[in-house]
Amino acid sequence: QVQLVQSGSELKKPGASVKVSCKASGYTLSSYALAWVRQAPGQGLEWMGWINTATGNPTYAQGFTGRFVFSLDTSVRTAFLQINSLKAEDTGVYYCARFRRLDYWGQGTLVTVSS
Amino acid sequence: DIVLTQTPLSVSVTPGQPASISCKSSQSLLDINGKTFFYWYLQKPGQPPQLLIYEVSNRFSGVPDRISGSGSGTDFTLKISRVEAEDVGIYYCMQSFQSPFTFGPGTKVDIK
């Protein structure tokens, strides 16, 4: 069965970096891109962008350029979201989901940025 | 960017009664191939969102037939024919017609 399993919660200080992983199984990785979605505490869903799993080419939504990096390691069927120069407002749950229908989601990774 | 507007933002429903949620798009989501890239998700408390309906009216695997989607172009509706306790949560609409993909603000459904 299709599964997306994400890495565990992270507590980071402002200015640090974090790398969230999303391991895919149960389907051919290159057949579906992977999307990233953020949910700030008590808020709705925010589209961050996606990574083409056949080419590794990322596409970022406005507001997620510069400090946010999508990457891929096909040898371990895993996508990554790295956030650099963390700010308090980056606090939230980050989800990966299978593109384009977002039919399967990871369980979410809570990233907390606090001094 | 395409804006999705949901109404109502909150609704309380008696078990066994129907519920309906509307989502209006700021532009048509119909592409030249006749496909409409519009979806409904339910996020239950403490869980990731789960896909309910894809491309306007197609139920995803495991979704009960008391949940249905309809609409076209810019106006879409999710209906629950008989609300049950397991339907509690926040319902989101989403479009993947045009980048950036966008979500509606969510409709909170709870039980009276």
Side-chain angles (χ1 to χ4, degrees):
Chain A
Q1 73 282 23
V2 175
Q3 277 194 302
L4 297 173
V5 179
Q6 297 184 225
S7 49
S9 298
E10 301 268 10
L11 174 60
K12 296 289 184 180
K13 294 189 183 304
S17 294
V18 69
K19 195 168 187 177
V20 175
S21 66
C22 170
K23 185 174 178 66
S25 62
Y27 70 99
T28 301
L29 182 65
S30 59
S31 296
Y32 298 86
L34 281 170
W36 290 95
V37 175
R38 180 171 74 181
Q39 188 166 39
Q43 302 300 307
L45 303 170
E46 188 175 16
W47 176 258
M48 298 176 65
W50 55 285
I51 186 163
N52 184 321
T53 51
T55 64
N57 184 49
T59 300
Y60 302 96
Q62 204 166 13
F64 295 99
T65 56
R67 297 188 300 114
F68 297 81
V69 180
F70 304 153
S71 61
L72 190 64
D73 184 342
T74 55
S75 68
V76 290
R77 304 175 54 82
T78 301
F80 300 95
L81 162 64
Q82 182 164 326
I83 311 172
N84 299 315
S85 303
L86 281 162
K87 305 176 182 180
E89 52 263 41
D90 294 326
T91 293
V93 178
Y94 292 81
Y95 294 103
C96 61
R98 198 172 75 164
F99 200 81
R100 179 177 183 169
R101 292 176 179 173
L102 308 191
D103 50 1
Y104 293 92
W105 293 65
Q107 81 275 23
T109 297
L110 173 62
V111 175
T112 303
V113 184
S114 174
S115 54
Chain B
D1 297 359
I2 294 176
V3 177
L4 298 179
T5 303
Q6 288 182 235
T7 54
L9 295 182
S10 180
V11 63
S12 190
V13 186
T14 300
Q17 293 301 301
S20 180
I21 301 169
S22 169
C23 182
K24 294 186 188 297
S25 173
S26 59
Q27 66 184 76
S28 175
L29 305 180
L30 176 65
D31 85 347
I32 58 171
N33 296 312
K35 188 175 285 190
T36 303
F37 292 95
F38 179 82
Y39 309 81
W40 289 101
Y41 301 86
L42 166 61
Q43 186 174 31
K44 297 182 180 182
Q47 295 186 21
Q50 58 189 78
L51 176 64
L52 296 176
I53 301 288
Y54 64 94
E55 289 147 27
V56 180
S57 59
N58 300 285
R59 270 185 292 275
F60 187 56
S61 176
V63 175
D65 59 9
R66 56 193 178 75
I67 294 176
S68 63
S70 63
S72 63
T74 60
D75 289 1
F76 305 93
T77 301
L78 180 77
K79 292 183 178 177
I80 307 173
S81 59
R82 300 174 307 281
V83 171
E84 298 184 4
E86 67 178 22
D87 301 327
V88 164
I90 301 176
Y91 290 76
Y92 294 95
C93 55
M94 188 201 80
Q95 66 82 19
S96 64
F97 171 75
Q98 179 185 95
S99 185
F101 297 178
T102 48
F103 294 91
T107 295
K108 185 174 182 179
V109 174
D110 63 24
I111 299 294
K112 278 185 185 174

